[in-house]
């Protein structure tokens, strides 16, 4: 769910649901992440621009996606594909590791 400031700007997100595989990837349990804010649980997601992406998806009313290099030290060198799908007052974030595909494409171009 979106956490907004007094002006209505999205300033954080609360984790309403997460699958156990994603939680494990973050080194947490599902129960340990539910109800936490993204800024506390995965601060690098804020740095990577997830709030702007959620805001854009909510404004535009449709999904958006991007591939970005992970800025989390736990995943240095990894590339993630993120798709943000707007919901009532928040978004579903669907992420997958695309590092192998990026590496293969780089090898083909070399």
């Amino acid at each position: 769910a979106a956490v907004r400031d007094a002006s209505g700007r999205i300033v954080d997100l609360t984790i309403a649901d997460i699958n156990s595989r994603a939680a494990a990837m973050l080194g947490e349990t599902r129960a340990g992440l539910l109800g936490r804010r993204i800024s506390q649980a995965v601060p690098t997601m804020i740095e990577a621009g997830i709030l702007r992406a959620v805001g854009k998806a909510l404004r535009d009313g449709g999904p958006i996606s991007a591939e970005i290099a992970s800025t989390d030290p736990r995943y240095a060198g990894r590339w993630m594909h993120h798709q943000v799908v707007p919901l009532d007052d928040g978004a579903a974030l669907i992420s997958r590791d695309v590092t192998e595909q990026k590496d293969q494409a780089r090898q083909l171009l070399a």
Side-chain angles (χ1 to χ4, degrees), residues 28-93:
E28 298 270 355
T29 64
R30 181 177 180 275
L33 288 170
L34 293 177
R36 288 181 58 196
R37 292 194 175 179
I38 291 284
S39 62
Q40 298 164 337
V42 196
T44 55
M45 293 290 292
I46 301 294
E47 297 162 15
I50 192 65
L51 298 180
R52 285 188 307 276
V54 169
K56 180 172 177 24
L58 288 172
R59 279 190 310 279
D60 295 352
I64 60 170
S65 61
E67 289 181 0
I68 59 170
S70 177
T71 59
D72 191 314
R74 296 174 287 188
Y75 308 107
R78 308 298 297 175
W79 279 85
M80 300 298 290
H81 177 271
H82 298 292
Q83 183 175 19
V84 180
V85 180
L87 302 174
D88 293 332
D89 190 38
L93 176 63

